[in-house]
């Protein structure tokens, strides 16, 4: 069986490898003038691998060890990580409804329609707000958890 140090290194590398996927996935959406279905799917081709690279070490290695190591920086790291996932779930509550309404209005297949998104449904503004708060919150808390995770990794496995 691999040593704890080896597993920690693999986990750190996987979580760190998710960052470029997140950044490029975000850039796709920021750079798009109009979000068509093809743009959305292309965006997801980068976001989903990022989420997988990040979630596998969390579920397979970090969570099972959490209760044995509750102290100091690890508690803050865990809280930040859990908060990131909570905000991701919050974002999903908005994006699911936005996707439904945009598909019903055929805005993914025919994006040239001159329609204000807020006119499509009375709750569209709230759903878009959830999406923004959730995504930005996820990124902020993920980044803070990542920094604390690197700090722990270096302190425990590189210097320690």
């Amino acid at each position: 069986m691999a040593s704890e140090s080896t597993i920690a290194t693999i986990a750190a590398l996987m979580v760190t490898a998710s960052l470029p996927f997140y950044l490029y996935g975000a850039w796709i959406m920021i750079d798009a003038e109009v979000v068509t279905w093809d743009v959305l799917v292309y965006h997801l081709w980068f976001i989903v691998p990022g989420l997988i690279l990040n979630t596998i070490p969390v579920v397979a290695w970090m969570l099972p060890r959490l209760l044995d190591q509750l102290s100091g920086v690890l508690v803050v790291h865990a809280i930040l990580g859990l908060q990131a996932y909570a905000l991701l779930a919050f974002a999903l509550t908005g994006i699911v409804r936005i996707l439904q309404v945009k598909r019903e209005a055929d805005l993914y297949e025919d994006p040239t329609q001159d329609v204000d998104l807020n006119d499509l449904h009375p709750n569209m503004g709230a759903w878009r707000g959830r999406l923004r708060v959730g995504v930005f919150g996820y990124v902020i808390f993920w980044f803070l958890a990542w920094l604390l995770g690197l700090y722990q990794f270096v302190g425990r496995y590189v210097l320690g």
Side-chain angles (χ1 to χ4, degrees), residues 143-159:
F143 193 74
L144 292 172
W146 177 67
L147 287 174
L148 276 179
L150 286 180
Y151 171 77
Q152 290 175 17
F153 175 77
V154 169
R156 186 170 190 173
Y157 298 106
V158 177
L159 302 175

Side-chain angles (χ1 to χ4, degrees), residues 119-137:
D119 292 340
L120 293 175
H121 194 280
N123 294 333
M124 184 62 82
W127 297 332
R128 291 173 77 195
R130 284 183 192 179
L131 176 61
R132 286 184 191 106
V133 167
V135 167
F136 285 111

Side-chain angles (χ1 to χ4, degrees), residues 55-124:
T55 304
I56 288 172
V58 168
V59 171
W61 188 66
M62 294 176 199
L63 283 178
R65 301 177 62 227
L66 181 64
L67 294 177
D68 297 334
Q69 301 181 6
L70 281 179
S71 65
V73 175
L74 184 64
V75 172
V76 177
H77 174 72
I79 289 170
L80 292 172
L82 289 172
Q83 186 63 41
Y85 278 104
L87 283 162
L88 179 61
F90 185 69
L92 291 174
T93 65
I95 191 63
V96 168
R97 295 296 295 146
I98 293 168
L99 287 172
Q100 289 173 336
V101 171
K102 284 183 77 173
R103 285 198 58 94
E104 288 171 8
D106 200 33
L107 286 177
Y108 287 116
E109 298 302 322
D110 183 13
T112 60
Q113 299 177 51
D114 191 22
V115 177
D116 183 357
L117 287 180
N118 290 326
D119 292 340
L120 293 175
H121 194 280
N123 294 333
M124 184 62 82

Side-chain angles (χ1 to χ4, degrees), residues 15-91:
V15 172
T16 301
S18 68
L19 181 59
F21 286 94
Y22 290 150
L23 293 175
Y24 188 67
W27 176 251
I28 291 167
M29 296 306 271
I30 291 168
D31 191 45
E33 285 185 38
V34 177
V35 178
T36 62
W37 189 251
D38 289 340
V39 169
L40 181 63
V41 170
Y42 186 64
H43 159 77
L44 291 175
W45 274 105
F46 293 94
I47 296 301
V48 170
L51 286 170
I52 290 169
L53 281 169
N54 190 70
T55 304
I56 288 172
V58 168
V59 171
W61 188 66
M62 294 176 199
L63 283 178
R65 301 177 62 227
L66 181 64
L67 294 177
D68 297 334
Q69 301 181 6
L70 281 179
S71 65
V73 175
L74 184 64
V75 172
V76 177
H77 174 72
I79 289 170
L80 292 172
L82 289 172
Q83 186 63 41
Y85 278 104
L87 283 162
L88 179 61
F90 185 69

